[in-house]
Amino acid sequence: MIPNQSTLVKYENPVLVTTHEDQKQAARKPPKQSSIGPLARVPSGFPKAPQVDGLTCAKGADDPHAKKEIEDVLNVILPPKEWKQGDGLWRQYVSSTPATRVDVIALQEQLDMRLKQRQARETGICPVRRELYSQCFDEVIRQVTINCAERGLLLLRCRDEIRMTMAAYQALYESSTAYGMRKALMSEAGKQDLEERMTKVIEDKTDLDRQCQELKIRIEQLERKYAEQRQAEGKRHHEEMQFLKRANLQLKQQLEGIIAPKKAEK
């Protein structure tokens, strides 16, 4: 037989359900409705478990009808495993044997041992730790269901609610991760555009700085040229004024020299 994965949930020994010939004959017959189906659809329709006290199912344990009810409830909560090997179909049902105090202690020790063997993380998100605790929770549900089916169904609702919540958080995380990746890609694309624009702006700035330096040099040259021109024009103007003053003085002296003899003759 194909060995099943090691699990903390207690199962019965595998049984051969059908062979290849039986499967061919069953295919020709109309499908038979399972008695477990309505129980899975309508939780309130589950048969009540026998009233028992303590950890073991002492009262009503030998009642075939009560035992069948418990097995039906267990098969709904923890469906049997099925696999094919060769020409036969094998099935392994969950154990309906009541758990004792020793079994609970052994379950706890086995959980601690597997956590260490599989090196599960003590804190944070750890799929291994989550899987082992989920198996342990299923085993606790199995043990409680044998004693009281209603408590087992209530624990089943709690388990399904926890799984649904975890699935919702996982879907939200995956969606947020995909959204973050899209935003990251968009930001990368935008970053590339901004880098190109920044490079162009830097080149424009460098070109403008060069032009500014050229204009400053040209302004300095023009200022120096105009200053030299003003200095040369001022010097020339001063020389012309001095020349005109001297010429004016000479003309004045000549005019006085001409006028003075005429006054003397009179």
Side-chain angles (χ1 to χ4, degrees):
M1 291 180 297
I2 300 177
N4 294 325
Q5 290 183 347
S6 179
T7 177
L8 295 175
V9 182
K10 188 176 181 180
Y11 281 86
E12 299 286 354
N13 294 327
V15 295
L16 180 61
V17 181
T18 58
T19 60
H20 186 65
E21 296 297 332
D22 296 336
Q23 292 177 8
K24 288 184 177 179
Q25 295 179 3
R28 301 189 187 97
K29 297 180 181 179
K32 182 179 179 181
Q33 294 183 354
S34 175
S35 59
I36 300 177
L39 296 177
R41 291 192 297 269
V42 186
S44 60
F46 281 114
K48 294 183 178 180
Q51 299 294 331
V52 294
D53 298 328
L55 293 177
T56 59
C57 187
K59 184 179 178 181
D62 296 333
D63 187 1
H65 180 67
K67 187 175 181 180
K68 182 64 169 61
E69 289 178 348
I70 294 175
E71 291 178 353
D72 290 341
V73 175
L74 289 175
N75 290 334
V76 172
I77 296 177
L78 300 170
K81 298 180 180 180
E82 292 185 355
W83 69 90
K84 291 182 179 180
Q85 182 182 10
D87 295 336
L89 176 64
W90 292 84
R91 184 176 297 170
Q92 188 177 22
Y93 292 93
V94 69
S95 177
S96 59
T97 304
T100 61
R101 188 181 187 87
V102 177
D103 294 333
V104 178
I105 296 174
L107 175 63
Q108 181 179 357
E109 294 176 352
Q110 192 175 11
L111 174 62
D112 295 337
M113 180 186 65
R114 295 197 180 184
L115 287 172
K116 293 180 180 179
Q117 288 179 350
R118 300 183 62 178
Q119 298 179 354
R121 298 179 182 177
E122 295 182 0
T123 58
I125 299 176
C126 181
V128 175
R129 189 180 74 244
R130 178 184 174 188
E131 177 187 356
L132 292 175
Y133 273 97
S134 178
Q135 294 177 6
C136 182
F137 194 19
D138 290 342
E139 173 61 18
V140 172
I141 293 175
R142 183 195 72 82
Q143 296 176 5
V144 172
T145 303
I146 295 174
N147 294 328
C148 180
E150 287 77 8
R151 284 200 298 265
L153 292 175
L154 186 57
L155 287 176
L156 176 66
R157 291 181 60 184
C158 296
R159 184 198 70 178
D160 293 341
E161 174 63 23
I162 292 173
R163 290 181 178 179
M164 184 177 64
T165 304
M166 292 295 295
Y169 280 122
Q170 184 176 359
L172 181 62
Y173 171 76
E174 293 175 354
S175 177
S176 61
T177 303
Y179 178 78
M181 289 298 296
R182 289 196 300 270
K183 286 297 182 180
L185 294 176
M186 291 175 61
S187 64
E188 286 295 331
K191 181 180 178 182
Q192 185 177 0
D193 295 339
L194 290 176
E195 288 179 352
E196 293 178 356
R197 291 178 57 186
M198 183 178 68
T199 303
K200 187 177 182 303
V201 169
I202 292 175
E203 292 177 355
D204 295 340
K205 178 179 177 298
T206 304
D207 188 29
L208 292 175
D209 290 339
R210 181 180 56 78
Q211 294 180 9
C212 181
Q213 292 296 330
E214 292 177 355
L215 290 175
K216 285 182 179 180
I217 294 173
R218 186 176 179 183
I219 290 172
E220 291 176 356
Q221 292 175 353
L222 291 174
E223 288 178 349
R224 187 166 53 252
K225 178 181 178 181
Y226 291 147
E228 292 175 355
Q229 289 179 357
R230 284 195 302 270
Q231 185 177 3
E233 289 178 357
K235 184 178 181 181
R236 186 172 60 253
H237 179 68
H238 179 72
E239 291 177 352
E240 288 179 356
M241 287 182 63
Q242 294 297 328
F243 175 75
L244 291 174
K245 284 181 179 180
R246 288 193 300 270
N248 187 19
L249 182 60
Q250 291 177 0
L251 290 174
K252 184 177 180 180
Q253 290 176 355
Q254 290 177 4
L255 182 61
E256 289 178 353
I258 295 172
I259 296 176
K262 290 182 177 180
K263 288 183 177 181
E265 293 176 359
K266 291 179 179 182

